Amino acid sequence: MESIEELFRKAIEDQVFTREERRTIARALQEEELDPKTLGHLKAQLFQMAGEEMDDMRNDRILEWLRQAVKLLVKAGKPIYDHQVYFSPGADCLRAICEQIQQTRSQLDICVFTISDDRISKEIIAAHKRRVDVRIITDNDKLYDRGSDVEQFAEEGIDVRVDQTRYHMHHKFALIDQKILLTGSYNWTRSAAENNEENILLTDQPDLVKPYQKAFQDMWRQMTPFQ
């Protein structure tokens, strides 16, 4: 309880409630699982903090801070998830993919129709070299497309599996450390970044991540190792 109050007091010092401060406090509230009586007491403390900070010159900023703080208490006990969306053409989708691969610490599962953007492939290989467990599922008909980097992945020692049907393995998603899902229409190609209307969704919501984990595992068992 005292630690959460301290977080609020620190956040009010500059009369601006930053996104990072809100996320930190929201997660602390979620972990504490405060009962209604404690939440009520904390709400009263917020009003006291705001009153202490108010003067004629800063009332609007303090009231906005108070609105954001009380909003966090209202949401306390509810899951706090992070969702981000990106669109192409442009560099946003490419940047999002590369940043997620760079931030991967232990496991990277990739299930993508085709991979031919060398900027992404470079990050995948770098992740493998820093001992991230990388697994790739891709479509067998796209293996030998111009620019495909699948053979290079296999040569680097990355586990790659492909389907062996006349149909396509057409998914485009990745799982980062089994906690973050990256999915959408975006193909991991240069044309997707430079020309196509595509999209990517990033989320850490477990209810969305888990079905993709299961789908990947099911396909991994069914697919054929690429030699």
Side-chain angles (χ1 to χ4, degrees), residues 172-185:
K172 297 108 178 178
F173 72 87
L175 294 161
I176 294 85
D177 291 327
Q178 295 296 304
K179 295 179 180 179
I180 298 174
L181 167 67
L182 185 155
T183 188
S185 67

Side-chain angles (χ1 to χ4, degrees), residues 155-171:
E155 290 172 359
E156 292 285 348
I158 296 174
D159 287 336
V160 179
R161 296 194 179 186
V162 297
D163 68 317
Q164 293 293 338
T165 72
R166 60 190 179 94
Y167 305 106
H168 289 307
M169 197 303 297
H170 209 255
H171 288 299

